[in-house]
Amino acid sequence: TPALVLALDAEPFYGSVDLAAGFTPDPLVLEMESGGDVDVGYLGEADCVGFVNEPPDYRLGWSGISDGLRIFFGSDGDTTLLVLDPDGSWHCNDDSEEQEPLVDIISPAPGDYLIWVGSYVADEFIPGELVITERSLLPSDLAADPLDESEGEAGETEDGDGQAITIQMGPFPDQ
């Protein structure tokens, strides 16, 4: 059987979002699971480890000028994070804080960022929260105190009337 590889052009498993510098609410928090059956060691990138889905877990379309973009995954397990930026460079992390992976992208270029969240064992799926922020938040900040009340709740955003709405992402049924 041929080795499994990442499907860079596939539809993201949990969905997509387009964000611009200064987006609100910040952070964007999305529920998903880590893991899959593709061993990312084949990429040959020193910090890229673990097993992920073939398609990206999430696509972030980015625009605007920002000092930095931080992406991390908070869970009760040991997970990894892979981000492919618009220039084709890999940003990977394992244990930035405890067992939580975190990637900082300084002066993010506009374009699509493909995100995979991995586990150390093939087909081990660990539930958690993918966080996208321009702030200097850490996984422990959300675990200890989800967010300041003035900024909404983790996993929620506001509609046009200022009412909190929950973002519920895939997996999506076959269409």
Side-chain angles (χ1 to χ4, degrees):
T1 53
L4 295 173
V5 296
L6 299 177
L8 305 181
D9 294 329
E11 193 68 28
F13 191 73
Y14 288 99
S16 300
V17 68
D18 292 313
L19 296 175
F23 69 93
T24 59
D26 182 351
L28 176 63
V29 181
L30 306 156
E31 292 181 15
M32 64 176 57
E33 290 184 338
S34 71
D37 55 2
V38 178
D39 181 351
V40 300
Y42 85 89
L43 294 172
E45 300 285 333
D47 294 330
C48 296
V49 296
F51 291 86
V52 299
N53 287 315
E54 287 180 57
D57 287 314
Y58 207 72
R59 182 199 61 83
L60 164 63
W62 182 255
S63 62
I65 298 172
S66 176
D67 290 338
L69 192 59
R70 176 168 283 181
I71 302 169
F72 62 85
F73 188 74
S75 71
D76 289 331
D78 194 1
T79 57
T80 66
L81 186 62
L82 291 80
V83 178
L84 180 62
D85 72 20
D87 298 327
S89 297
W90 288 99
H91 304 264
C92 301
N93 187 261
D94 177 10
D95 298 331
S96 179
E97 185 186 54
E98 299 287 326
Q99 296 182 338
E100 312 293 2
L102 180 148
V103 167
D104 279 325
I105 299 171
I106 307 304
S107 301
D112 287 344
Y113 290 79
L114 301 178
I115 303 167
W116 288 262
V117 181
S119 300
Y120 275 97
V121 177
D123 295 320
E124 175 186 34
F125 301 100
I126 301 170
E129 295 176 327
L130 180 69
V131 178
I132 301 171
T133 183
E134 289 182 282
R135 298 164 53 194
S136 58
L137 294 173
L138 295 171
S140 59
D141 294 332
L142 293 185
D145 181 18
L147 293 176
D148 181 280
E149 286 182 19
S150 65
E151 298 178 17
E153 296 279 332
E156 295 184 348
T157 187
E158 291 184 3
D159 67 13
D161 298 322
Q163 299 296 312
I165 56 174
T166 301
I167 299 172
Q168 199 64 34
M169 303 305 297
F172 302 106
D174 293 339
Q175 296 181 350

